[in-house]
Amino acid sequence: MSALIRLRAMTAWMVATWLRMDRVLYVVWAAACTLTNARVFYGYMMRQTGGEWSAPLDDVFIHFDYARSIAQGHPFEWTVGNGFSSGNTSLTYPFVLAPGWLMGLRDTDLMIWAALVAMASTFALLLAGRALFERVDRTSVAMRAGSYVLPLFVLGIGALDWSLWSGMEVAWFLGLWAGAVFAFLDLEVARPSRQSRAAWRLALWGLLLVGTRPESATSMAAFGLVAVFGRAHPLTRWVKVRTLLQVGAPSGVLLVLQAFVNKLFTGETSANGAIVKLAINSPFLTQQEKLDDYTFNLKYAMLRNVEYHFSDTLPINGHQLGFGLLIPILAVAALAIPQTRRYAVLLVLHIAGWLGTVALNGQVRWQNERYTMPAVAWLLMLAAIGAVAMLRKTGRPSMPISIVVGAFVTQAIGVALRPQGEMPSLRVPWLFAIAAGVAFALVLHFRVSRALVAIAAVGLAYVHQESKMRDQTWFFGRACRNIRDQHVTAGRWLATQKPHRILVGDAGALIFASDRPGLDIIGLGGYGGLPFARAGLHGLPATIELIERMPPKERPDVFAIYPTWWGTLPTWFAKDVLARFPAEGNVICGGYEDVIYQADWHVLGTGEAPRAVDPTRVRDVVDVTDLVSEKEHEYTFPQPAGGWTEMKILPDPKDEALDMFDGGRRISFGRQETMTLGRLVPHLPARLVIRSVPDATAKVHVIIDGTPIETLDYVPGKGFEERVVEVPGASVQPTIHLVLHNDGPGDFTDYHVWITQ
């Protein structure tokens, strides 16, 4: 008996000692887990690159480009001299990286600073997770002890670790989110006299979050809603409204201000990245196609993580059984348990808002699903809370919620067991699913069975993530090597050649490593306010038309591109291949090799003047496919599924020994284009000149201010044709509205419209 008493006393002393040291021990534990995990990934990178720092994504170097410009005194410029650019959607992250460049971490060594930022941010995330554990029940030794599994959960998914250490803004964003969590927890318990001050602190973190990733506006909404509803001490209606406005309004103002600045300097309210990446901006997709793209992205974002990143699979009768569902099941358990439900709701709102927003981005399917990783981090935190809560005496889930959860889990298992290649659908009869839900609820009702389920789920998830972690570590190192071997090496070679300006299709490492001015024809980089991002949506002809607007001395003199991406660009506008830079064993680069070309723009500008009339008499001109000219003339083309861009280099109608270039739009049967032409002398007869390259039979009706003027008959030809339409003085006003309606049966392609007097 005395031995038992001594044992109990010893145990009580150990627990008391641990409780006194608990916070320090957790800090040490979280730091150790962070450093160990980072060392694994960066260590394998060094193994692949032979000891040189690199990054697994070329987009990392876009941040580096902007950071270098900031350090050189040119904030918000992709390369110095190009002018303001909205191409870096993360406003804050380049400012965080710039000190590293100023401290002498140049070239790829800037990745060292990015790694330090990532480790500090990840450490902060683990501390915020611990704070959520403690807030569930401050007196619970079990929750405090269980919080030690949090770093193992959060850092236990290889795909998330890949993004955290990649050098992208994911870790920095989650570190800021950690600060917002602490501010939110302070707001929850703030006295009425300090409620407003606490709300403004959370709003400040919200500004940083939205300035880092605009998608986090939904996260601020989640913080605000949970902060004012379901509290232990309810707030008055006025205080609720005031708090919601305080928490959310500053972030909303920042988004509006950012849109205003973008509009002021670029002519676009949206950032370049949003223009390029969001299907809703496509001028050619129908509303249904845009909706289909969104739903596909949303399904992909969820299933790719659950069915691939969270677990390997076991083949069962021709089906693949994955254990990735174990993590969402543990996460949902936190919703079912009353003591953890409040913070589970908070995290679920974060996850749903984030995934619902990033699904707008077609790039969500690429780059190792990095855009979804904040939601993955929150899900893992939620799973850790759920797993620990299920082990507690008071962790009995609500029976109705457990039944509903069990039914949906059964349906999810049915989806997971679908034949390979089959689209996801609900395959299990609902009656069976509900019955399974009842059985699931009964299992969770008893502590012993509940604990066994939690321990088994955690164990299976760990075992079946092991191979994925190994794969992600290898993928990280190989991707870093690919970027170094191809983009960085090509950029360093370009630095020795000192070109005036480099045309690139990847706006990252090529420009960073070369330290030369660039032109990004995808549109992220920006140049002088010209809408290259918008042009990218319309096609290569629209991009070439913008290059035609650049002063000849400012045009790129070399290309560094993947030739397979850009169709006729290297064939029509380049002289010689200067160098090739392959990526052996490529797993991340957009093509096998970067090819460096000598640019040749001699045909640009050759199609600006009309051939059928005296160019000195031109009053106004619409250069079709030139987005600047189209905007100036209120040009419209048939949308959606119409107005596709084209370009031609054909013999000059005045001298067939010379080449002439022009870009245009294809107008299909039964559709029309419209435009406004001005600077005319009213009532003075005018002449319209319409340039086309007929490749089909078509009748085009020329209509001015609603009055039919003439019908042009086209038959297939071999080159540029310019038709002259006489406009009587009675139809001429200072400004006229022109409609060209194609009555078919074939397509009509319009390249240029002039009006003379």
Side-chain angles (χ1 to χ4, degrees):
M1 182 65 69
S2 59
L4 181 59
I5 293 173
R6 286 196 299 272
L7 179 61
R8 286 178 177 175
M10 178 65 70
T11 302
W13 177 82
M14 292 176 64
V15 170
T17 303
W18 168 70
L19 287 174
R20 287 195 300 271
M21 301 176 61
D22 169 48
R23 291 179 182 271
V24 174
L25 289 175
Y26 181 84
V27 167
V28 173
W29 170 243
C33 290
T34 300
L35 291 171
T36 301
N37 191 265
R39 186 181 184 280
V40 168
F41 279 81
Y42 292 134
Y44 200 77
M45 172 191 71
M46 293 296 183
R47 182 177 175 183
Q48 286 275 347
T49 62
E52 183 177 5
W53 282 90
S54 183
L57 289 171
D58 187 60
D59 284 20
V60 173
F61 292 91
I62 298 178
H63 291 306
F64 290 2
D65 288 328
Y66 282 91
R68 178 172 60 192
S69 293
I70 290 168
Q72 293 173 340
H74 297 269
F76 304 109
E77 289 192 44
W78 170 51
T79 63
V80 175
N82 276 27
F84 177 88
S85 169
S86 63
N88 195 311
T89 310
S90 179
L91 300 180
T92 67
Y93 190 49
F95 284 91
V96 174
L97 294 175
W101 195 90
L102 288 172
M103 287 188 291
L105 295 173
R106 309 295 169 82
D107 199 53
T108 55
D109 283 347
L110 187 55
M111 186 64 185
I112 298 173
W113 183 252
L116 293 173
V117 170
M119 285 185 277
S121 300
T122 302
F123 176 63
L125 175 67
L126 299 180
L127 295 184
R130 162 66 180 239
L132 288 176
F133 266 85
E134 289 185 328
R135 186 58 63 86
V136 169
D137 186 347
R138 293 188 177 189
T139 64
S140 172
V141 174
M143 290 303 292
R144 292 175 68 175
S147 66
Y148 284 77
V149 306
L150 178 67
L152 303 180
F153 269 78
V154 173
L155 300 176
I157 297 295
L160 174 58
D161 300 335
W162 196 99
S163 290
L164 289 174
W165 312 128
S166 67
M168 294 301 291
E169 75 278 8
V170 176
W172 168 244
F173 170 78
L174 289 171
L176 293 175
W177 181 82
V181 168
F182 286 113
F184 162 79
L185 294 175
D186 287 343
L187 176 60
E188 273 196 315
V189 297
R191 297 191 302 271
S193 61
R194 301 179 65 86
Q195 184 82 21
S196 181
R197 185 181 299 178
W200 285 123
R201 279 201 300 271
L202 178 56
L204 178 60
W205 285 104
L207 285 174
L208 293 172
L209 281 173
V210 172
T212 302
R213 289 304 317 175
E215 299 94 331
S216 59
T218 59
S219 300
M220 291 312 299
F223 278 128
L225 290 171
V226 176
V228 301
F229 293 107
R231 295 164 53 103
H233 304 289
L235 303 173
T236 65
R237 181 177 300 177
W238 159 242
V239 174
K240 286 181 180 179
V241 172
R242 185 191 67 188
T243 302
L244 285 173
L245 288 175
Q246 287 176 312
V247 170
S251 297
V253 170
L254 176 61
L255 292 175
V256 172
L257 179 62
Q258 183 182 1
F260 173 78
V261 172
N262 289 344
K263 182 71 173 180
L264 181 65
F265 287 103
T266 70
E268 301 274 6
T269 55
S270 295
N272 288 346
I275 293 171
V276 169
K277 297 174 183 178
L278 305 190
I280 56 175
N281 291 316
S282 171
F284 305 124
L285 295 179
T286 65
Q287 293 300 317
Q288 185 59 50
E289 288 171 331
K290 292 177 181 179
L291 180 60
D292 291 344
D293 179 80
Y294 176 80
T295 55
F296 177 83
N297 291 340
L298 185 58
K299 290 178 182 177
Y300 179 91
M302 294 185 291
L303 294 176
R304 177 68 172 176
N305 280 298
V306 172
E307 297 184 349
Y308 180 76
H309 287 313
F310 290 177
S311 172
D312 59 14
T313 57
L314 290 177
I316 299 178
N317 296 329
H319 303 273
Q320 296 293 322
L321 174 63
F323 292 88
L325 279 172
L326 295 171
I327 291 173
I329 289 172
L330 290 172
V332 172
L335 274 175
I337 297 171
Q339 291 82 1
T340 58
R341 188 172 299 148
R342 177 175 175 79
Y343 301 109
V345 168
L346 174 68
L347 291 172
V348 166
L349 289 176
H350 273 80
I351 294 165
W354 187 270
L355 291 179
T357 304
V358 299
L360 292 167
N361 184 353
Q363 297 294 313
V364 76
R365 304 191 295 269
W366 313 118
Q367 300 182 351
N368 209 24
E369 290 70 54
R370 69 173 175 88
Y371 285 100
T372 68
M373 288 304 138
V376 170
W378 298 325
L379 180 67
L380 292 169
M381 294 179 73
L382 189 55
I385 292 172
V388 173
M390 288 175 68
L391 298 176
R392 301 174 65 209
K393 282 183 180 181
T394 56
R396 181 180 297 169
S398 162
M399 185 67 73
I401 293 178
S402 297
I403 293 172
V404 172
V405 169
F408 278 98
V409 166
T410 304
Q411 291 287 10
I413 293 172
V415 171
L417 286 173
R418 69 188 184 279
Q420 286 185 316
E422 182 179 301
M423 292 299 292
S425 61
L426 299 181
R427 298 158 45 84
V428 178
W430 275 109
L431 186 61
F432 178 82
I434 293 171
V438 172
F440 180 74
L442 289 173
V443 170
L444 297 186
H445 184 74
F446 300 101
R447 186 185 183 190
V448 173
S449 56
R450 188 169 66 241
L452 289 174
V453 168
I455 293 170
V458 172
L460 285 171
Y462 173 80
V463 169
H464 288 278
Q465 175 61 205
E466 185 176 2
S467 64
K468 288 296 181 182
M469 180 66 77
R470 184 172 57 249
D471 292 346
Q472 288 291 332
T473 306
W474 177 89
F475 180 30
F476 186 90
R478 176 58 65 87
C480 289
R481 191 181 87 185
N482 289 159
I483 297 298
R484 192 278 310 270
D485 289 352
Q486 187 176 91
H487 294 308
V488 174
T489 303
R492 289 169 177 168
W493 182 85
L494 285 165
T496 66
Q497 305 302 303
K498 300 188 182 305
H500 171 70
R501 188 179 301 279
I502 307 166
L503 181 147
V504 296
D506 276 330
L510 284 161
I511 296 302
F512 183 74
S514 67
D515 198 13
R516 304 300 301 168
L519 178 69
D520 169 28
I521 54 174
I522 287 181
L524 295 179
Y527 172 83
L530 291 176
F532 277 100
R534 184 72 61 180
L537 296 176
H538 290 253
L540 182 61
T543 300
I544 299 298
E545 289 276 6
L546 292 183
I547 295 175
E548 194 172 45
R549 281 187 167 269
M550 297 174 65
K553 291 184 179 180
E554 287 297 306
R555 292 171 186 161
D557 48 341
V558 298
F559 302 167
I561 60 173
Y562 296 125
T564 55
W565 282 23
W566 301 107
T568 58
L569 175 65
T571 306
W572 290 8
F573 301 102
K575 292 179 181 177
D576 303 307
V577 173
L578 302 179
R580 298 176 183 271
F581 295 91
E584 300 292 345
N586 179 34
V587 296
I588 199 67
C589 297
Y592 171 67
E593 60 182 5
D594 270 330
V595 181
I596 315 298
Y597 297 91
Q598 183 72 48
D600 179 4
W601 303 112
H602 78 275
V603 296
L604 294 192
T606 54
E608 291 301 288
R611 301 310 196 257
V613 296
D614 181 0
T616 64
R617 303 182 69 86
V618 171
R619 292 284 185 173
D620 205 356
V621 56
V622 180
D623 188 354
V624 181
T625 303
D626 179 339
L627 299 191
V628 176
S629 178
E630 290 182 346
K631 183 177 181 180
E632 290 172 347
H633 295 88
E634 300 175 349
Y635 176 89
T636 67
F637 60 89
Q639 298 184 56
W644 292 281
T645 58
E646 296 189 5
M647 60 183 180
K648 300 286 186 183
I649 298 177
L650 295 170
D652 190 321
K654 275 200 166 183
D655 185 350
E656 292 191 354
L658 300 176
D659 290 332
M660 189 172 86
F661 165 84
D662 209 352
R665 291 188 184 273
R666 183 172 290 273
I667 312 300
S668 56
F669 165 62
R671 311 188 79 176
Q672 64 187 32
E673 58 181 347
T674 69
M675 63 201 79
T676 299
L677 297 116
R679 300 195 290 271
L680 300 173
V681 178
H683 309 303
L684 180 67
R687 307 177 83 190
L688 275 173
V689 182
I690 301 168
R691 177 185 288 165
S692 181
V693 180
D695 57 6
T697 301
K699 288 182 179 293
V700 177
H701 302 295
V702 181
I703 304 167
I704 294 179
D705 293 329
T707 302
I709 300 297
E710 188 173 332
T711 298
L712 304 177
D713 292 305
Y714 287 97
V715 295
K718 295 183 179 180
F720 289 112
E721 288 187 14
E722 293 180 0
R723 300 291 185 89
V724 179
V725 177
E726 302 293 339
V727 183
S731 297
V732 177
Q733 299 297 324
T735 299
I736 64 171
H737 182 68
L738 173 65
V739 176
L740 298 179
H741 180 85
N742 180 20
D743 204 19
D747 292 347
F748 161 67
T749 307
D750 184 10
Y751 285 80
H752 242 107
V753 176
W754 296 267
I755 191 163
T756 68
Q757 281 185 315

